[in-house]
Amino acid sequence: MKKILVFDTTLRDGEQSPGVALNVHEKLEIARQLARLNVDIIEAGFPIASPGDAEAVKAVAREIKGPAICALARAKEKDIEVAWESIRYAETPIIHTFIATSDIHLKHKLRLSREQALEQAVWAVKKAKSFTPYVEFSAEDATRSSWEYLVQVYSAVIEAGATTINIPDTVGYITPLEMKELIEYLLKNVKGVEKVTISVHCHNDLGLAVANSLLAIQGGATQVECTINGIGERAGNAALEEIVMALHVRGEFFQAQTDINYQEIYRTSRLVSQLTGMLVQPNKAVVGDNAFAHESGIHQDGVLKERLTYEIMDARLIGRQEKVLVLGKHSGRHAFAKKLEELGYHLSEEELNKAFARFKQLADQKKHITEADLETIVSEEITKQEEIYQLDFVHVCSGNNILPTATVRLKAADGQTLEGVATGVGPVDAAYKAISKMLGISPDLVNFTLQSISGGTEALGEVLVRIFGDEKVYVGRGSSQDVVVASVMAYLSAINKMAQEKKLNPQKDYQES
């Protein structure tokens, strides 16, 4: 079977999803998990986009070992130089440079002739090659470009030193059979193509990203660019978990395989969902809540008799092993730490202490603790950052014939105690208004989602919120058996990120009128 390289662009293209804004700490946490997942390449960001993005790419490049670390750069001198400065300390640094090649983009966006674009592409590859031996070149909007022109461009950049050529379906336009034919055509006609990796980057505007990626592999591609949960621009990218499991389950058909650690797939999906605030739809393939659920009596009967009757893959293979823990309120710290190690978590002493305290608190209130509960506690604690404002007390009054009222008390990092009271259309709205009032801010709540981590009335509730302030979106999350407390914790998480930004950039005014 041929080896397919997995190029994960969750931290670059995935973060370009509307409403997603990851900070350095969150990008590092996802990068660590991608390394555990054993992806071949991590595209850590687009350094020229902002100082924050450059800082995040640099942090990933310095810390993450194993996967190659890639930075995106337009075919411009400053882009390439900043990209190199961001990844120069990586074990295997890759500069990924690109320029559009479709007549639509050349005419309306770049206002360049084909000859000018070709010249710039060659120059960019040579410039990148002067910094690192590993250079990827992408012909943006390749699938709407002239095939003959693509042959000219790819032949020229290979001669200039490109080690990977990428064929992006930038707007999700191509169909699977066309993609296979395009890859075969390029393999037949591009000079020097046998010396380089052939990559594809498919978008999901017509829901064909995974199908296009798989047909590209059949056509001869040896690298797929994808994201966790398929997040990304517009309708998203090809979903890593779907491509990887399709190659695994139908290995004899595709005659191709990856080096992905399947056991980390579900955990990676959960982490990315939590940190980006983008929930996974229940019927999502492989990682959705319903992916291994059976409601039909006929299906249930078949699965009970033989799992293979209605399940083509084992949920345990991707780490979806839902068990009730033997751990309880009498369990000690050592047993708790050992269980986390079995689940693949390696926490620092401080993180372990915080997670154990949360576990003991939950164990006092909840009879059965599931692995999903534990994973939520751990991921929340290890991704938690400095708390400028910490929840001390919340009390709400609500009912069908009473005006919802909330009293909230916060402890600030400087030792102050803040308290506020407000009314609202419901207890959560009242609590949010009380917090905003006492802090003197008025961010817009653009999204609020609540989901149960497990079943039953005593289950943990997880809340994800997005707030908009100072022309930027901040994502917050919180979990508790009390949905009002979880809601307040999520709101405070987002506000803390906004406050940290103000602390780092004091020239900005985060108090809105």
Side-chain angles (χ1 to χ4, degrees):
M1 289 191 179
K2 68 177 179 180
K3 163 74 183 298
I4 302 300
L5 298 172
V6 176
F7 178 112
D8 184 278
T9 184
T10 303
L11 296 179
R12 200 276 299 171
D13 207 335
E15 203 213 6
Q16 291 175 202
S17 303
V20 174
L22 300 170
N23 58 35
V24 175
H25 184 83
E26 291 166 332
K27 279 199 169 189
L28 263 175
E29 192 57 42
I30 290 175
R32 293 185 191 111
Q33 182 58 34
L34 291 174
R36 288 189 283 267
L37 184 63
N38 203 35
V39 302
D40 297 284
I41 301 152
I42 297 174
E43 188 167 47
F46 191 7
I48 198 68
S50 71
D53 212 28
E55 181 188 355
V57 175
K58 190 176 295 185
V60 170
R62 285 181 179 273
E63 178 178 327
I64 303 303
K65 307 302 178 187
I69 307 300
C70 179
L72 186 68
R74 292 169 298 182
K76 295 186 175 183
E77 186 170 17
K78 186 66 174 175
D79 282 45
I80 295 169
E81 289 174 349
V82 172
W84 170 244
E85 286 302 318
S86 299
I87 61 166
R88 64 185 305 164
Y89 297 108
E91 284 183 335
T92 307
I94 301 174
I95 294 178
H96 178 190
T97 188
F98 71 96
I99 194 169
T101 53
S102 70
D103 290 336
I104 295 172
H105 279 238
L106 290 175
K107 179 181 178 181
H108 298 290
K109 187 181 76 172
L110 300 180
R111 296 178 182 173
L112 295 175
S113 66
R114 286 186 178 181
E115 292 73 21
Q116 289 172 317
L118 174 57
E119 183 181 343
Q120 198 165 331
V122 170
W123 173 87
V125 169
K126 287 181 178 179
K127 177 71 175 178
K129 193 77 173 183
S130 70
F131 293 119
T132 175
Y134 309 105
V135 177
E136 175 169 332
F137 172 80
S138 287
E140 186 185 7
D141 205 23
T143 56
R144 292 195 296 172
S145 302
S146 158
W147 287 17
E148 292 80 7
Y149 181 53
L150 285 178
V151 168
Q152 292 180 44
V153 172
Y154 287 132
S155 296
V157 297
I158 290 173
E159 186 179 356
T163 50
T164 298
I165 59 169
N166 181 42
I167 298 91
D169 185 26
T170 305
V171 293
Y173 178 76
I174 206 168
T175 62
L177 286 177
E178 286 176 310
M179 176 61 91
K180 183 173 183 285
E181 290 171 3
L182 174 56
I183 300 299
E184 291 172 338
Y185 176 84
L186 294 173
L187 283 170
K188 183 178 179 181
N189 293 283
V190 172
K191 292 178 183 178
V193 70
E194 70 282 353
K195 300 183 295 185
V196 300
T197 298
I198 309 299
S199 181
V200 289
H201 179 114
C202 299
H203 278 264
N204 206 39
D205 297 71
L206 294 175
L208 298 173
V210 170
N212 284 332
S213 299
L214 293 172
L215 266 290
I217 290 170
Q218 280 198 307
T222 51
Q223 177 174 295
V224 286
E225 305 192 2
C226 43
T227 61
I228 302 301
N229 299 334
I231 65 173
E233 290 270 17
R234 305 181 312 279
N237 289 260
L240 179 149
E241 61 279 357
E242 294 179 26
I243 294 173
V244 166
M245 293 312 296
L247 293 179
H248 174 73
V249 173
R250 300 303 310 277
E252 291 185 9
F253 177 78
F254 288 106
Q255 288 296 301
Q257 62 185 0
T258 69
D259 286 339
I260 288 296
N261 179 358
Y262 305 116
Q263 287 288 319
E264 295 294 336
I265 288 176
Y266 186 61
R267 184 174 296 119
T268 310
S269 170
R270 286 274 301 161
L271 179 66
V272 170
S273 176
Q274 289 170 340
L275 294 183
T276 61
M278 297 187 71
L279 297 180
V280 176
Q281 65 194 61
N283 62 326
K284 168 79 170 63
V286 183
V287 293
D289 286 344
N290 295 348
F292 296 91
H294 305 275
E295 186 166 330
S296 162
I298 296 173
H299 287 212
Q300 290 173 342
D301 180 62
V303 168
L304 289 172
K305 291 174 179 174
E306 171 52 61
R307 182 185 59 79
L308 292 174
T309 55
Y310 287 102
E311 288 186 5
I312 61 173
M313 53 187 152
D314 190 338
R316 291 171 296 182
L317 178 63
I318 63 166
R320 294 191 62 161
Q321 201 167 357
E322 179 67 10
K323 295 187 292 189
V324 174
L325 297 177
V326 178
L327 297 176
K329 65 180 181 179
H330 301 296
S331 298
R333 187 174 176 280
H334 179 73
F336 176 74
K338 189 170 180 60
K339 184 62 185 180
L340 292 187
E341 287 181 9
E342 289 175 8
L343 292 174
Y345 292 103
H346 303 281
L347 276 59
S348 68
E349 195 71 15
E350 184 181 357
E351 290 169 340
L352 180 61
N353 289 337
K354 290 179 179 178
F356 184 62
R358 281 289 307 277
F359 163 74
K360 294 292 278 188
Q361 183 183 33
L362 182 62
D364 280 335
Q365 302 167 347
K366 193 171 187 282
K367 185 176 180 181
H368 298 298
I369 297 176
T370 66
E371 289 190 355
D373 292 329
L374 192 59
E375 288 176 349
T376 298
I377 290 171
V378 173
S379 62
E380 190 172 313
E381 288 302 325
I382 64 179
T383 57
K384 187 179 288 185
Q385 299 166 69
E386 177 191 358
E387 290 183 296
I388 295 175
Y389 302 108
Q390 188 175 17
L391 178 64
D392 183 45
F393 171 86
V394 58
H395 178 266
V396 296
C397 293
S398 182
N400 63 335
N401 288 313
I402 189 173
L403 182 64
T405 306
T407 303
V408 182
R409 187 166 66 230
L410 305 178
K411 286 185 177 179
D414 60 5
Q416 290 188 71
T417 298
L418 308 171
E419 191 166 308
V421 180
T423 59
V425 296
V428 173
D429 181 53
Y432 283 12
K433 286 178 177 175
I435 293 170
S436 297
K437 182 179 176 182
M438 76 173 85
L439 297 181
I441 59 175
S442 54
D444 294 324
L445 179 65
V446 295
N447 183 258
F448 176 97
T449 56
L450 167 66
Q451 64 175 352
S452 175
I453 298 302
S454 55
T457 55
E458 59 178 16
L460 273 178
E462 183 178 53
V463 174
L464 293 165
V465 300
R466 286 192 183 91
I467 63 173
F468 182 79
D470 193 50
E471 300 183 354
K472 188 171 181 180
V473 173
Y474 299 90
V475 178
R477 60 197 173 282
S479 64
S480 172
Q481 288 178 283
D482 187 315
V483 295
V484 174
V485 174
S487 301
V488 172
M489 290 171 67
Y491 193 57
L492 274 179
S493 173
I495 285 176
N496 275 323
K497 290 179 183 177
M498 192 165 70
Q500 286 163 0
E501 184 99 354
K502 181 180 177 182
K503 189 176 177 183
L504 293 172
N505 300 281
Q507 72 276 16
K508 294 185 179 180
D509 182 8
Y510 285 83
Q511 290 200 7
E512 303 171 23
S513 57

